[in-house]
Coordinates of all heavy atoms in Angstrom, one line a residue:
M1 N 16.1 49.7 -80.2 CA 15.2 48.6 -80.3 C 15.8 47.6 -81.3 O 16.2 48.0 -82.4 CB 13.8 49.1 -80.7 CG 12.8 48.0 -80.9 SD 11.3 48.6 -81.7 CE 10.4 48.9 -80.3
I2 N 15.7 46.4 -81.0 CA 16.1 45.3 -81.9 C 15.0 44.9 -82.8 O 13.8 44.8 -82.4 CB 16.6 44.1 -81.1 CG1 17.3 43.1 -81.9 CG2 15.5 43.5 -80.3 CD1 18.2 42.1 -81.2
T3 N 15.4 44.7 -84.1 CA 14.4 44.4 -85.1 C 14.1 42.9 -85.2 O 14.8 42.1 -84.7 CB 14.8 44.9 -86.5 OG1 15.9 44.1 -86.9 CG2 15.2 46.4 -86.5
Y4 N 13.0 42.6 -85.9 CA 12.6 41.2 -86.1 C 13.8 40.5 -86.9 O 14.1 39.4 -86.5 CB 11.3 41.1 -87.0 CG 10.9 39.7 -87.3 CD1 10.2 38.9 -86.4 CD2 11.3 39.1 -88.5 CE1 9.9 37.6 -86.7 CE2 10.9 37.8 -88.8 CZ 10.2 37.1 -87.9 OH 9.9 35.8 -88.2
E5 N 14.3 41.1 -87.9 CA 15.4 40.5 -88.6 C 16.6 40.2 -87.8 O 17.3 39.2 -88.0 CB 15.8 41.4 -89.9 CG 14.7 41.4 -91.0 CD 13.5 42.2 -90.6 OE1 13.6 43.1 -89.8 OE2 12.4 42.0 -91.2
E6 N 17.0 41.2 -86.9 CA 18.1 41.0 -86.0 C 17.8 39.8 -85.1 O 18.7 39.0 -84.8 CB 18.4 42.2 -85.2 CG 18.9 43.4 -86.1 CD 18.9 44.7 -85.4 OE1 18.1 45.0 -84.5 OE2 19.9 45.5 -85.7
C7 N 16.6 39.7 -84.5 CA 16.3 38.6 -83.7 C 16.4 37.3 -84.5 O 16.9 36.3 -83.9 CB 14.9 38.7 -83.1 SG 14.7 40.0 -81.9
L8 N 15.9 37.3 -85.7 CA 16.0 36.1 -86.5 C 17.4 35.6 -86.7 O 17.7 34.4 -86.6 CB 15.3 36.4 -87.9 CG 15.0 35.2 -88.8 CD1 14.2 34.1 -88.1 CD2 14.4 35.7 -90.1
E9 N 18.3 36.6 -87.0 CA 19.7 36.2 -87.2 C 20.3 35.6 -85.9 O 21.1 34.6 -86.0 CB 20.5 37.4 -87.6 CG 20.3 37.9 -89.0 CD 21.1 39.2 -89.3 OE1 22.2 39.4 -88.7 OE2 20.6 39.9 -90.2
L10 N 19.9 36.1 -84.8 CA 20.4 35.5 -83.5 C 19.8 34.2 -83.1 O 20.3 33.4 -82.4 CB 20.1 36.5 -82.4 CG 20.9 37.9 -82.5 CD1 20.3 38.8 -81.4 CD2 22.3 37.6 -82.3
S11 N 18.6 33.9 -83.7 CA 17.9 32.7 -83.3 C 18.4 31.4 -83.9 O 18.1 30.3 -83.5 CB 16.4 32.8 -83.8 OG 16.3 32.6 -85.2
D12 N 19.2 31.5 -85.0 CA 19.7 30.3 -85.7 C 18.6 29.5 -86.4 O 18.7 28.3 -86.6 CB 20.5 29.4 -84.7 CG 21.5 28.4 -85.5 OD1 21.9 28.7 -86.6 OD2 21.8 27.4 -84.9
L13 N 17.6 30.2 -86.8 CA 16.4 29.6 -87.5 C 16.2 30.5 -88.7 O 16.6 31.7 -88.8 CB 15.2 29.6 -86.6 CG 15.2 28.8 -85.4 CD1 14.0 29.2 -84.5 CD2 15.1 27.3 -85.8
T14 N 15.5 29.9 -89.7 CA 15.1 30.7 -90.9 C 13.7 31.2 -90.6 O 13.0 30.7 -89.7 CB 15.0 29.9 -92.1 OG1 14.0 28.9 -92.0 CG2 16.4 29.2 -92.4
A15 N 13.2 32.2 -91.4 CA 11.9 32.8 -91.2 C 10.8 31.7 -91.4 O 9.8 31.6 -90.7 CB 11.7 33.9 -92.2
D16 N 11.1 30.8 -92.4 CA 10.1 29.7 -92.6 C 10.1 28.7 -91.5 O 9.0 28.2 -91.2 CB 10.5 28.9 -93.9 CG 10.3 29.8 -95.2 OD1 9.4 30.7 -95.1 OD2 10.9 29.5 -96.2
E17 N 11.2 28.4 -90.8 CA 11.2 27.6 -89.7 C 10.4 28.2 -88.5 O 9.6 27.5 -87.9 CB 12.6 27.2 -89.2 CG 13.4 26.4 -90.2 CD 14.9 26.3 -90.1 OE1 15.4 27.2 -89.3 OE2 15.5 25.5 -90.7
V18 N 10.6 29.5 -88.3 CA 9.9 30.2 -87.3 C 8.4 30.2 -87.6 O 7.5 29.9 -86.8 CB 10.4 31.6 -87.2 CG1 9.4 32.5 -86.3 CG2 11.8 31.7 -86.6
D19 N 8.0 30.4 -88.9 CA 6.6 30.4 -89.3 C 6.0 29.0 -89.1 O 4.8 28.9 -88.7 CB 6.5 30.8 -90.8 CG 6.8 32.2 -91.0 OD1 6.8 33.0 -90.1 OD2 7.0 32.6 -92.2
A20 N 6.7 27.9 -89.3 CA 6.2 26.6 -89.1 C 5.9 26.4 -87.6 O 4.9 25.8 -87.3 CB 7.2 25.5 -89.6
I21 N 6.8 26.8 -86.8 CA 6.6 26.7 -85.3 C 5.4 27.5 -84.9 O 4.5 27.0 -84.1 CB 7.9 27.1 -84.5 CG1 9.0 26.1 -84.8 CG2 7.6 27.2 -83.0 CD1 10.4 26.6 -84.3
A22 N 5.3 28.7 -85.4 CA 4.2 29.6 -85.1 C 2.9 29.0 -85.5 O 1.9 29.0 -84.8 CB 4.4 31.0 -85.7
E23 N 2.9 28.4 -86.7 CA 1.6 27.8 -87.2 C 1.2 26.6 -86.4 O 0.1 26.5 -86.0 CB 1.9 27.3 -88.7 CG 0.8 26.5 -89.3 CD 1.2 26.0 -90.7 OE1 2.0 26.6 -91.3 OE2 0.6 25.0 -91.1
H24 N 2.2 25.8 -86.0 CA 1.9 24.6 -85.2 C 1.4 24.9 -83.8 O 0.5 24.3 -83.3 CB 3.1 23.7 -85.2 CG 2.9 22.4 -84.5 ND1 3.0 22.2 -83.1 CD2 2.4 21.2 -85.0 CE1 2.8 21.0 -82.8 NE2 2.4 20.3 -83.9
E25 N 2.1 25.9 -83.2 CA 1.8 26.2 -81.8 C 0.7 27.3 -81.6 O 0.3 27.6 -80.5 CB 3.1 26.6 -81.1 CG 4.1 25.6 -81.0 CD 3.7 24.3 -80.3 OE1 3.1 24.5 -79.2 OE2 4.0 23.2 -80.7
H26 N 0.3 27.9 -82.8 CA -0.7 29.0 -82.8 C -0.3 30.1 -81.9 O -1.0 30.6 -81.0 CB -2.1 28.4 -82.3 CG -2.6 27.3 -83.0 ND1 -3.1 27.4 -84.3 CD2 -2.6 25.9 -82.7 CE1 -3.4 26.2 -84.7 NE2 -3.1 25.3 -83.8
I27 N 1.0 30.5 -82.2 CA 1.6 31.7 -81.4 C 2.2 32.7 -82.4 O 2.4 32.4 -83.6 CB 2.7 31.2 -80.4 CG1 3.7 30.3 -81.1 CG2 2.0 30.3 -79.3 CD1 4.9 29.9 -80.2
D28 N 2.5 33.8 -81.8 CA 3.1 34.9 -82.6 C 4.5 34.5 -83.1 O 5.2 33.7 -82.4 CB 3.2 36.2 -81.7 CG 3.8 37.3 -82.4 OD1 3.1 37.9 -83.2 OD2 5.0 37.6 -82.1
S29 N 4.9 35.1 -84.2 CA 6.3 34.7 -84.7 C 7.4 35.0 -83.7 O 8.4 34.2 -83.7 CB 6.5 35.5 -86.0 OG 5.6 35.0 -87.0
M30 N 7.3 36.1 -83.0 CA 8.4 36.4 -82.0 C 8.5 35.3 -80.9 O 9.6 34.9 -80.5 CB 8.2 37.8 -81.5 CG 8.6 38.9 -82.4 SD 10.3 38.9 -83.0 CE 11.1 39.5 -81.5
I31 N 7.4 34.9 -80.5 CA 7.3 33.9 -79.4 C 7.8 32.5 -80.0 O 8.6 31.8 -79.4 CB 5.9 33.7 -78.8 CG1 5.5 35.0 -78.1 CG2 5.8 32.6 -77.9 CD1 4.1 35.2 -77.7
A32 N 7.4 32.2 -81.3 CA 7.8 31.0 -81.9 C 9.3 31.1 -82.1 O 10.0 30.0 -82.0 CB 7.1 30.9 -83.3
M33 N 9.9 32.2 -82.4 CA 11.3 32.3 -82.6 C 12.1 32.0 -81.3 O 13.1 31.3 -81.3 CB 11.7 33.8 -83.1 CG 13.1 34.0 -83.5 SD 13.5 35.7 -83.9 CE 12.2 36.1 -85.0
A34 N 11.5 32.6 -80.2 CA 12.1 32.3 -78.9 C 12.0 30.8 -78.5 O 13.0 30.2 -78.0 CB 11.5 33.2 -77.8
L35 N 10.9 30.3 -78.8 CA 10.7 28.8 -78.5 C 11.7 28.0 -79.3 O 12.3 27.1 -78.8 CB 9.3 28.4 -78.8 CG 8.9 26.9 -78.7 CD1 9.2 26.4 -77.3 CD2 7.5 26.7 -79.1
G36 N 11.7 28.3 -80.6 CA 12.6 27.5 -81.5 C 14.1 27.7 -81.1 O 14.8 26.7 -81.1
H37 N 14.5 28.9 -80.7 CA 15.9 29.1 -80.3 C 16.2 28.3 -79.0 O 17.2 27.6 -78.9 CB 16.2 30.5 -80.1 CG 17.6 30.8 -79.6 ND1 18.7 30.6 -80.4 CD2 18.1 31.2 -78.4 CE1 19.8 30.9 -79.7 NE2 19.4 31.2 -78.5
Y38 N 15.2 28.3 -78.1 CA 15.3 27.6 -76.8 C 15.5 26.1 -77.2 O 16.4 25.4 -76.6 CB 14.1 27.8 -75.9 CG 14.2 26.9 -74.7 CD1 14.9 27.3 -73.6 CD2 13.5 25.7 -74.7 CE1 15.0 26.5 -72.5 CE2 13.6 24.8 -73.6 CZ 14.4 25.2 -72.5 OH 14.4 24.4 -71.4
L39 N 14.7 25.5 -78.0 CA 14.7 24.1 -78.4 C 16.1 23.8 -79.0 O 16.7 22.7 -78.7 CB 13.6 23.7 -79.3 CG 12.2 23.7 -78.6 CD1 11.1 23.6 -79.6 CD2 12.1 22.6 -77.5
I40 N 16.6 24.6 -79.9 CA 17.8 24.3 -80.6 C 19.0 24.3 -79.5 O 19.9 23.5 -79.6 CB 18.1 25.4 -81.6 CG1 17.2 25.2 -82.8 CG2 19.6 25.4 -82.1 CD1 17.3 26.2 -83.9
T41 N 18.9 25.2 -78.6 CA 20.0 25.3 -77.6 C 19.9 24.3 -76.4 O 20.8 24.3 -75.6 CB 20.2 26.7 -77.1 OG1 18.9 27.1 -76.5 CG2 20.5 27.7 -78.2
H42 N 18.8 23.6 -76.4 CA 18.5 22.6 -75.3 C 18.2 21.3 -75.9 O 17.3 20.6 -75.4 CB 17.5 23.1 -74.4 CG 17.9 24.3 -73.6 ND1 17.8 25.6 -74.1 CD2 18.5 24.4 -72.4 CE1 18.3 26.4 -73.2 NE2 18.7 25.8 -72.1
Q43 N 18.9 20.8 -76.9 CA 18.7 19.5 -77.6 C 17.3 19.2 -78.0 O 16.8 18.1 -77.9 CB 19.2 18.4 -76.6 CG 20.7 18.5 -76.3 CD 21.0 19.2 -75.0 OE1 20.2 19.0 -74.1 NE2 22.0 19.9 -75.0
G44 N 16.6 20.2 -78.5 CA 15.2 20.1 -78.9 C 15.0 20.0 -80.4 O 13.9 20.2 -80.9
E45 N 16.1 19.6 -81.1 CA 15.9 19.6 -82.6 C 14.9 18.6 -83.0 O 14.1 18.8 -84.0 CB 17.3 19.2 -83.2 CG 18.4 20.2 -83.1 CD 19.2 20.0 -81.8 OE1 18.9 19.1 -81.0 OE2 20.3 20.6 -81.7
Q46 N 14.7 17.4 -82.3 CA 13.7 16.5 -82.7 C 12.3 17.0 -82.5 O 11.4 16.7 -83.3 CB 13.9 15.2 -81.8 CG 13.0 14.1 -82.3 CD 13.2 13.6 -83.7 OE1 14.3 13.5 -84.2 NE2 12.1 13.4 -84.4
K47 N 12.1 17.8 -81.5 CA 10.8 18.5 -81.3 C 10.5 19.4 -82.5 O 9.3 19.4 -83.0 CB 10.8 19.2 -80.0 CG 9.5 20.0 -79.7 CD 8.3 19.1 -79.6 CE 7.1 20.0 -79.2 NZ 5.8 19.3 -79.4
I48 N 11.4 20.2 -82.9 CA 11.2 21.1 -84.1 C 10.9 20.2 -85.3 O 9.9 20.6 -86.1 CB 12.4 22.0 -84.3 CG1 12.5 23.0 -83.1 CG2 12.2 22.8 -85.6 CD1 13.7 23.9 -83.1
K49 N 11.6 19.2 -85.5 CA 11.3 18.3 -86.7 C 9.9 17.8 -86.6 O 9.1 17.7 -87.6 CB 12.3 17.2 -86.8 CG 13.7 17.6 -87.3 CD 14.5 16.5 -87.7 CE 15.3 15.9 -86.5 NZ 16.2 14.9 -86.8
S50 N 9.5 17.3 -85.4 CA 8.1 16.8 -85.2 C 7.0 17.9 -85.5 O 6.0 17.6 -86.1 CB 7.9 16.3 -83.8 OG 8.8 15.2 -83.5
I51 N 7.3 19.1 -85.1 CA 6.4 20.2 -85.3 C 6.2 20.4 -86.8 O 5.1 20.5 -87.3 CB 6.9 21.5 -84.7 CG1 6.7 21.5 -83.2 CG2 6.3 22.8 -85.3 CD1 7.4 22.6 -82.4
I52 N 7.3 20.4 -87.6 CA 7.2 20.6 -89.0 C 6.5 19.4 -89.7 O 5.7 19.6 -90.6 CB 8.6 20.9 -89.6 CG1 9.3 22.2 -89.0 CG2 8.5 21.0 -91.1 CD1 10.7 22.4 -89.3
I53 N 6.8 18.2 -89.3 CA 6.2 17.0 -89.8 C 4.7 17.1 -89.5 O 3.9 16.8 -90.4 CB 6.8 15.8 -89.3 CG1 8.2 15.6 -89.8 CG2 5.9 14.5 -89.6 CD1 9.1 14.5 -89.2
D54 N 4.3 17.5 -88.3 CA 2.9 17.7 -88.0 C 2.2 18.7 -89.0 O 1.1 18.5 -89.4 CB 2.6 18.1 -86.6 CG 2.9 17.0 -85.6 OD1 3.0 15.8 -86.0 OD2 2.9 17.3 -84.4
D55 N 2.9 19.8 -89.2 CA 2.4 20.8 -90.1 C 2.2 20.3 -91.5 O 1.2 20.6 -92.2 CB 3.3 22.0 -90.1 CG 3.3 22.9 -88.9 OD1 2.3 22.7 -88.0 OD2 4.2 23.7 -88.7
I56 N 3.2 19.5 -92.0 CA 3.1 18.9 -93.3 C 1.8 18.0 -93.4 O 1.1 18.0 -94.3 CB 4.3 18.0 -93.6 CG1 5.5 19.0 -93.8 CG2 4.2 17.2 -94.9 CD1 6.9 18.3 -93.9
E57 N 1.7 17.1 -92.4 CA 0.5 16.2 -92.4 C -0.8 16.9 -92.3 O -1.8 16.6 -93.0 CB 0.7 15.2 -91.2 CG 1.8 14.3 -91.4 CD 2.1 13.4 -90.1 OE1 1.5 13.7 -89.0 OE2 3.0 12.5 -90.2
K58 N -0.9 18.0 -91.6 CA -2.1 18.8 -91.5 C -2.4 19.5 -92.8 O -3.5 19.5 -93.3 CB -1.9 19.9 -90.4 CG -3.2 20.7 -90.2 CD -3.0 21.8 -89.2 CE -4.2 22.7 -89.1 NZ -3.9 23.8 -88.1
A59 N -1.3 20.0 -93.5 CA -1.5 20.6 -94.8 C -2.0 19.6 -95.8 O -2.9 19.9 -96.7 CB -0.2 21.3 -95.3
E60 N -1.4 18.4 -95.8 CA -1.9 17.3 -96.7 C -3.3 16.9 -96.5 O -4.1 16.7 -97.4 CB -0.9 16.1 -96.7 CG 0.4 16.4 -97.3 CD 1.4 15.3 -97.2 OE1 1.2 14.4 -96.3 OE2 2.4 15.3 -97.9
R61 N -3.7 16.8 -95.2 CA -5.1 16.4 -94.9 C -6.1 17.5 -95.4 O -7.2 17.2 -95.9 CB -5.3 16.2 -93.4 CG -4.8 14.9 -92.9 CD -5.2 14.7 -91.4 NE -4.9 15.7 -90.5 CZ -3.7 15.9 -89.8 NH1 -2.8 15.0 -90.0 NH2 -3.5 16.8 -89.0
A62 N -5.6 18.7 -95.4 CA -6.5 19.8 -95.9 C -6.3 20.0 -97.4 O -6.9 21.0 -97.9 CB -6.1 21.1 -95.1
K63 N -5.5 19.2 -98.0 CA -5.3 19.3 -99.5 C -4.6 20.6 -99.9 O -4.8 21.1 -101.0 CB -6.6 19.1 -100.3 CG -7.2 17.7 -100.0 CD -8.4 17.5 -100.9 CE -9.2 16.3 -100.6 NZ -9.0 15.1 -100.5
H64 N -3.8 21.1 -99.0 CA -2.9 22.3 -99.2 C -1.6 21.8 -99.6 O -0.6 21.9 -98.9 CB -2.9 23.2 -98.0 CG -4.2 23.7 -97.6 ND1 -4.5 24.1 -96.3 CD2 -5.3 24.0 -98.3 CE1 -5.7 24.5 -96.2 NE2 -6.2 24.5 -97.5
Y65 N -1.5 21.2 -100.8 CA -0.3 20.5 -101.3 C 0.9 21.5 -101.5 O 2.0 21.1 -101.2 CB -0.6 19.7 -102.5 CG -1.6 18.7 -102.3 CD1 -2.9 18.7 -102.9 CD2 -1.4 17.6 -101.3 CE1 -3.8 17.8 -102.7 CE2 -2.4 16.7 -101.1 CZ -3.6 16.8 -101.7 OH -4.6 15.8 -101.5
R66 N 0.7 22.7 -102.0 CA 1.8 23.6 -102.1 C 2.4 24.0 -100.8 O 3.6 24.0 -100.6 CB 1.3 24.9 -102.8 CG 1.1 24.8 -104.3 CD 0.9 26.2 -104.8 NE 0.7 26.1 -106.3 CZ 0.3 27.1 -107.0 NH1 0.0 28.2 -106.5 NH2 0.3 26.9 -108.3
H67 N 1.5 24.2 -99.8 CA 2.0 24.5 -98.4 C 2.8 23.3 -97.9 O 3.9 23.4 -97.3 CB 0.9 24.8 -97.5 CG 1.3 25.3 -96.2 ND1 2.1 26.4 -96.0 CD2 1.0 24.9 -94.9 CE1 2.3 26.6 -94.7 NE2 1.7 25.7 -94.0
A68 N 2.3 22.1 -98.1 CA 3.0 20.9 -97.7 C 4.3 20.7 -98.3 O 5.3 20.4 -97.7 CB 2.1 19.6 -97.9
D69 N 4.4 21.0 -99.6 CA 5.7 21.0 -100.3 C 6.7 22.0 -99.8 O 7.9 21.7 -99.6 CB 5.5 21.2 -101.8 CG 4.8 20.0 -102.5 OD1 4.8 18.9 -102.0 OD2 4.3 20.2 -103.6
M70 N 6.2 23.2 -99.5 CA 7.1 24.2 -98.9 C 7.6 23.8 -97.6 O 8.7 23.9 -97.2 CB 6.3 25.6 -98.8 CG 7.1 26.8 -98.4 SD 7.4 27.0 -96.6 CE 5.7 27.2 -96.0
L71 N 6.7 23.2 -96.8 CA 7.1 22.7 -95.4 C 8.1 21.6 -95.5 O 9.0 21.5 -94.7 CB 5.9 22.3 -94.6 CG 5.0 23.4 -94.1 CD1 3.7 22.9 -93.6 CD2 5.7 24.3 -93.1
R72 N 8.0 20.7 -96.6 CA 9.0 19.7 -96.8 C 10.4 20.3 -97.0 O 11.4 19.8 -96.5 CB 8.6 18.8 -97.9 CG 7.7 17.7 -97.6 CD 7.5 16.7 -98.7 NE 6.3 16.0 -98.5 CZ 5.1 16.4 -98.9 NH1 4.9 17.5 -99.5 NH2 4.0 15.6 -98.6
K73 N 10.4 21.4 -97.8 CA 11.7 22.1 -98.0 C 12.2 22.7 -96.7 O 13.4 22.6 -96.5 CB 11.5 23.2 -99.1 CG 11.2 22.6 -100.5 CD 10.9 23.7 -101.5 CE 10.5 23.1 -102.8 NZ 10.1 24.1 -103.7
V74 N 11.3 23.2 -95.9 CA 11.7 23.8 -94.6 C 12.3 22.6 -93.8 O 13.4 22.8 -93.1 CB 10.5 24.4 -93.9 CG1 10.9 24.8 -92.5 CG2 10.1 25.7 -94.7
L75 N 11.6 21.5 -93.7 CA 12.1 20.3 -93.0 C 13.5 19.9 -93.5 O 14.4 19.7 -92.6 CB 11.1 19.2 -93.0 CG 11.5 17.9 -92.3 CD1 11.7 18.2 -90.8 CD2 10.5 16.8 -92.6
N76 N 13.6 19.7 -94.8 CA 14.9 19.3 -95.3 C 16.0 20.3 -95.0 O 17.2 19.9 -94.6 CB 14.8 19.1 -96.8 CG 14.0 17.9 -97.2 OD1 13.9 17.0 -96.4 ND2 13.4 17.9 -98.4
H77 N 15.8 21.6 -95.0 CA 16.8 22.6 -94.7 C 17.1 22.5 -93.2 O 18.3 22.6 -92.8 CB 16.2 24.0 -95.0 CG 17.2 25.1 -94.7 ND1 17.2 25.7 -93.5 CD2 18.3 25.6 -95.4 CE1 18.2 26.6 -93.4 NE2 18.9 26.5 -94.6
F78 N 16.1 22.3 -92.4 CA 16.3 22.3 -90.9 C 17.2 21.1 -90.6 O 18.2 21.2 -89.8 CB 15.0 22.2 -90.1 CG 15.2 22.2 -88.7 CD1 15.4 23.3 -88.0 CD2 15.2 21.0 -88.0 CE1 15.7 23.3 -86.6 CE2 15.5 21.0 -86.6 CZ 15.7 22.2 -85.9
I79 N 16.9 19.9 -91.2 CA 17.7 18.7 -91.0 C 19.1 18.9 -91.4 O 20.1 18.5 -90.7 CB 17.0 17.5 -91.7 CG1 15.7 17.1 -91.0 CG2 18.0 16.3 -91.7 CD1 14.9 16.1 -91.7
A80 N 19.3 19.6 -92.5 CA 20.7 19.8 -93.1 C 21.5 20.8 -92.2 O 22.7 20.6 -92.1 CB 20.6 20.3 -94.5
T81 N 20.8 21.7 -91.6 CA 21.5 22.8 -90.9 C 21.5 22.6 -89.4 O 22.3 23.3 -88.7 CB 20.9 24.2 -91.2 OG1 19.6 24.2 -90.9 CG2 21.2 24.5 -92.7
H82 N 20.7 21.7 -88.9 CA 20.7 21.4 -87.4 C 20.7 19.9 -87.1 O 19.7 19.3 -86.8 CB 19.4 22.0 -86.8 CG 19.3 23.5 -87.0 ND1 18.7 24.1 -88.0 CD2 19.8 24.5 -86.2 CE1 18.8 25.4 -87.9 NE2 19.4 25.7 -86.7
P83 N 21.9 19.4 -87.2 CA 22.0 18.0 -86.8 C 21.7 17.8 -85.4 O 21.9 18.7 -84.6 CB 23.5 17.6 -87.1 CG 24.2 18.9 -87.2 CD 23.2 20.0 -87.6
E84 N 21.1 16.6 -85.1 CA 20.7 16.4 -83.7 C 21.9 16.4 -82.7 O 23.0 16.1 -83.1 CB 20.0 15.1 -83.6 CG 18.6 15.1 -84.2 CD 17.8 13.9 -83.9 OE1 17.7 13.5 -82.8 OE2 17.3 13.3 -84.9
H85 N 21.6 16.8 -81.5 CA 22.6 16.9 -80.5 C 23.4 15.7 -80.3 O 24.7 15.7 -80.2 CB 22.0 17.3 -79.1 CG 23.0 17.5 -78.0 ND1 23.8 18.6 -78.0 CD2 23.3 16.8 -77.0 CE1 24.6 18.5 -76.9 NE2 24.3 17.4 -76.3
N86 N 22.8 14.5 -80.3 CA 23.5 13.2 -80.2 C 24.5 13.0 -81.3 O 25.6 12.5 -81.1 CB 22.5 12.1 -80.0 CG 21.7 12.1 -78.8 OD1 22.2 12.7 -77.8 ND2 20.6 11.5 -78.8
A87 N 24.1 13.4 -82.5 CA 25.1 13.3 -83.6 C 26.3 14.2 -83.4 O 27.4 13.8 -83.8 CB 24.4 13.6 -84.9
K88 N 26.1 15.3 -82.8 CA 27.2 16.2 -82.5 C 28.1 15.6 -81.5 O 29.3 15.7 -81.6 CB 26.7 17.6 -82.0 CG 26.0 18.4 -83.1 CD 25.6 19.7 -82.5 CE 24.7 20.5 -83.4 NZ 24.2 21.7 -82.8
K89 N 27.5 15.0 -80.5 CA 28.4 14.4 -79.4 C 29.2 13.2 -79.9 O 30.3 13.0 -79.5 CB 27.4 13.9 -78.3 CG 26.9 15.0 -77.4 CD 26.0 14.4 -76.4 CE 26.8 13.8 -75.2 NZ 25.9 13.4 -74.1
A90 N 28.6 12.4 -80.9 CA 29.3 11.3 -81.4 C 30.5 11.7 -82.3 O 31.5 10.9 -82.4 CB 28.4 10.4 -82.2
A91 N 30.4 12.8 -82.9 CA 31.5 13.3 -83.8 C 32.8 13.7 -83.1 O 33.1 13.8 -82.0 CB 31.0 14.4 -84.7

């Protein structure tokens, strides 16, 4: 049986990125991991960024500023580690 951690390593996402997707889509972490991996491998980086930005805005509206700050770190890490597909093609 494959573990959560092994799936996470194969997904090319961090646990926080998976959690942000799961929070936004209201789905289980394993399903969020599969969705995130699919998006990464099918030029969906912008969709993941939009998901995290939506989560940040929702946290701020709810005055959950610590959570919003954590999500900003997740977004910055995602942007740094997953350049958009078009930027890869241009290089």
Side-chain angles (χ1 to χ4, degrees):
M1 177 190 268
I2 190 165
T3 67
Y4 177 85
E5 289 76 21
E6 291 168 328
C7 290
L8 188 61
E9 287 179 28
L10 294 171
S11 75
D12 199 26
L13 296 165
T14 67
D16 290 334
E17 292 163 349
V18 170
D19 290 345
I21 295 168
E23 175 184 334
H24 186 269
E25 298 298 319
H26 306 284
I27 55 178
D28 180 75
S29 294
M30 286 299 286
I31 296 168
M33 189 184 312
L35 173 61
H37 179 70
Y38 174 83
L39 290 170
I40 287 172
T41 58
H42 292 85
Q43 297 96 35
E45 294 91 349
Q46 186 60 44
K47 175 64 177 168
I48 294 174
K49 285 193 276 186
S50 294
I51 286 171
I52 299 170
I53 290 168
D54 285 349
D55 289 346
I56 292 168
E57 292 170 352
K58 181 180 176 187
E60 288 178 341
R61 283 191 305 274
K63 299 184 190 300
H64 297 151
Y65 300 116
R66 281 189 180 171
H67 187 57
D69 288 341
M70 187 275 300
L71 288 168
R72 276 190 198 85
K73 291 175 186 172
V74 171
L75 178 62
N76 289 334
H77 180 268
F78 183 80
I79 290 169
T81 57
H82 296 93
E84 289 188 49
H85 182 71
N86 292 336
K88 289 179 189 178
K89 284 178 82 174

